[in-house]
């Protein structure tokens, strides 16, 4: 998880996050990480651009965006 957060933040790349909210609802979002630390992650969503802050414990999975193989040139 740390590797993909750093990849998005350092290279300004979009990643896919699977999140769970306080009510237990799951959501998937494509986003660009703008800040992260040990407890929280701030990102900008791609569908309707807005800044969101979530607790790291609410992130269930992170993956490369479809079509992105993680290569940085």
């Amino acid at each position: 998880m740390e590797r993909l957060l750093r990849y998005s933040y350092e290279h300004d790349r979009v990643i896919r996050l699977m999140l769970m909210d306080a009510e237990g609802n799951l959501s998937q979002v494509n986003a660009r990480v703008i800040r992260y630390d040990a407890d929280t992650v701030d990102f900008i969503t791609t569908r309707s651009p807005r800044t969101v802050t979530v607790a790291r414990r609410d992130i269930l999975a992170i993956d490369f965006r479809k079509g992105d193989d993680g290569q940085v040139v």
Side-chain angles (χ1 to χ4, degrees):
M1 189 179 308
E2 181 72 27
R3 179 180 164 306
L4 286 169
L5 290 173
R6 186 176 47 228
Y7 167 77
S8 177
Y9 177 73
E10 290 178 356
H11 301 289
D12 196 32
R13 301 292 285 267
V14 175
I15 56 175
R16 182 172 50 187
L17 298 102
M18 180 65 73
L19 308 169
M20 183 170 57
D21 65 17
E23 291 81 38
N25 299 314
L26 298 177
S27 62
Q28 178 177 299
V29 62
N30 289 324
R32 184 172 281 114
V33 176
I34 56 173
R35 189 191 70 76
Y36 70 97
D37 59 29
D39 300 318
T40 61
V41 176
D42 295 341
F43 56 85
I44 298 174
T45 60
T46 58
R47 179 173 248 176
S48 56
R50 60 188 171 101
T51 302
V52 178
T53 301
V54 298
R56 283 184 75 157
R57 69 178 177 275
D58 294 337
I59 300 174
L60 303 178
I62 301 177
D63 193 9
F64 290 107
R65 179 180 175 186
K66 185 177 180 179
D68 188 352
D69 59 5
Q71 297 296 318
V72 179
V73 180

